[in-house]
């Protein structure tokens, strides 16, 4: 009886380890720096720009097989400072979740690079500019990604990630006239850790 119990316990332990290795879920936490491009056809009299900043980032990946995964990139709502001609003129908040489809190269020892592409949706709220201008409420754009996971244990990895996200918004004057398009198009560089369940 004792041997049966020991064998069952060992079997459960091994099964649990295999399940952990084969789990399709991967969660990463990153510190991500947004480097805004601040380009586009904005009114030259405005010369609008938005500040760079570092934000916390959480993403959840689901692996369809060992090479193909979908990643949902999440962040808390962020406040950005808008400047005109180098002087701050107000703020807005945005929430920019991004969904990418990735291909992971798994046959390389010591590290696991990946590339991805997908869509970004940005919700813009609480626009408060002293010039009276406003912005679109939301915007869609493409996203491109490259990164690498460096395994530290069977479940924990160190992650480096770079994304180019296309975010643009129309600028409107207080009378509703279109003041051009502000292209933020940030390059997002992230560093963090991942956990494979």
């Amino acid at each position: 009886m004792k041997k049966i119990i020991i064998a069952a316990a060992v079997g459960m332990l091994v099964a649990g380890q295999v399940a952990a290795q084969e789990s399709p879920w991967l969660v990463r936490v990153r510190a991500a720096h947004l480097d805004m491009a601040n380009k586009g056809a904005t009114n030259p009299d405005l010369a609008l720009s938005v500040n760079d900043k570092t934000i916390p980032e959480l993403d959840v990946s689901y692996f369809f097989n060992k090479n193909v995964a979908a990643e949902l990139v999440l962040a808390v709502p962020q406040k950005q400072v808008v400047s005109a001609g180098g002087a701050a003129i107000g703020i807005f908040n945005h929430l920019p979740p991004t969904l990418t489809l990735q291909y992971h190269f798994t046959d390389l020892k010591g590290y696991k690079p990946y590339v991805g592409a997908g869509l970004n949706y940005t919700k813009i709220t609480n626009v408060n500019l002293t010039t009276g201008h406003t912005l679109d409420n939301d915007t869609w754009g493409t996203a491109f990604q490259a990164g690498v996971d460096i395994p530290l244990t069977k479940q924990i990895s160190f992650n480096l990630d770079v994304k180019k996200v296309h975010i643009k918004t129309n600028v409107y004057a207080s009378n509703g006239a279109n003041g051009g398009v502000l292209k933020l198009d940030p390059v997002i560089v992230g560093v963090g850790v991942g956990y494979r369940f």
Side-chain angles (χ1 to χ4, degrees):
M1 185 66 178
K2 186 182 293 186
K3 290 181 179 179
I4 293 174
I5 294 174
I6 293 173
V10 171
M12 290 172 57
L13 180 60
V14 170
Q17 291 175 339
V18 170
Q21 293 171 358
E22 295 177 348
S23 169
W25 295 101
L26 171 64
V27 175
R28 298 188 188 90
V29 177
R30 301 187 184 110
H33 181 73
L34 281 67
D35 185 8
M36 300 293 189
N38 289 321
K39 62 182 180 181
T42 52
N43 186 329
D45 295 332
L46 296 176
L48 295 181
S49 63
V50 176
N51 66 305
D52 302 333
K53 69 185 307 183
T54 300
I55 65 173
E57 182 182 287
L58 170 69
D59 71 73
V60 180
S61 296
Y62 181 85
F63 283 77
F64 300 101
N65 55 49
K66 71 174 186 176
N67 298 112
V68 180
E71 179 186 76
L72 179 61
V73 181
L74 302 170
V76 297
Q78 295 296 318
K79 181 166 69 176
Q80 300 284 165
V81 177
V82 181
S83 298
I89 62 168
I91 60 169
F92 69 90
N93 291 348
H94 68 101
L95 181 63
T98 301
L99 180 65
T100 61
L101 185 66
Q102 303 171 330
Y103 185 86
H104 292 252
F105 301 88
T106 58
D107 297 328
L108 302 174
K109 294 182 179 180
Y111 58 98
K112 298 179 180 179
Y114 59 87
V115 293
L119 289 174
N120 166 266
Y121 169 75
T122 299
K123 180 68 176 177
I124 298 174
T125 60
N126 299 327
V127 179
N128 184 7
L129 305 180
T130 58
T131 58
H133 288 79
T134 188
L135 308 173
D136 285 326
N137 292 328
D138 48 23
T139 178
W140 292 86
T142 54
F144 300 94
Q145 177 183 40
V148 61
D149 289 309
I150 302 173
L152 302 177
T153 70
K154 288 182 179 180
Q155 292 174 286
I156 299 173
S157 58
F158 175 73
N159 177 256
L160 295 172
D161 183 88
V162 179
K163 288 183 285 291
K164 176 67 173 182
V165 181
H166 294 102
I167 302 174
K168 65 180 181 180
T169 177
N170 289 300
V171 181
Y172 301 98
S174 56
N175 62 2
N178 194 317
V181 178
L182 175 61
K183 296 182 179 179
L184 305 180
D185 294 350
V187 172
I188 305 173
V189 180
V191 178
V193 294
Y195 185 85
R196 185 75 177 262
F197 288 92

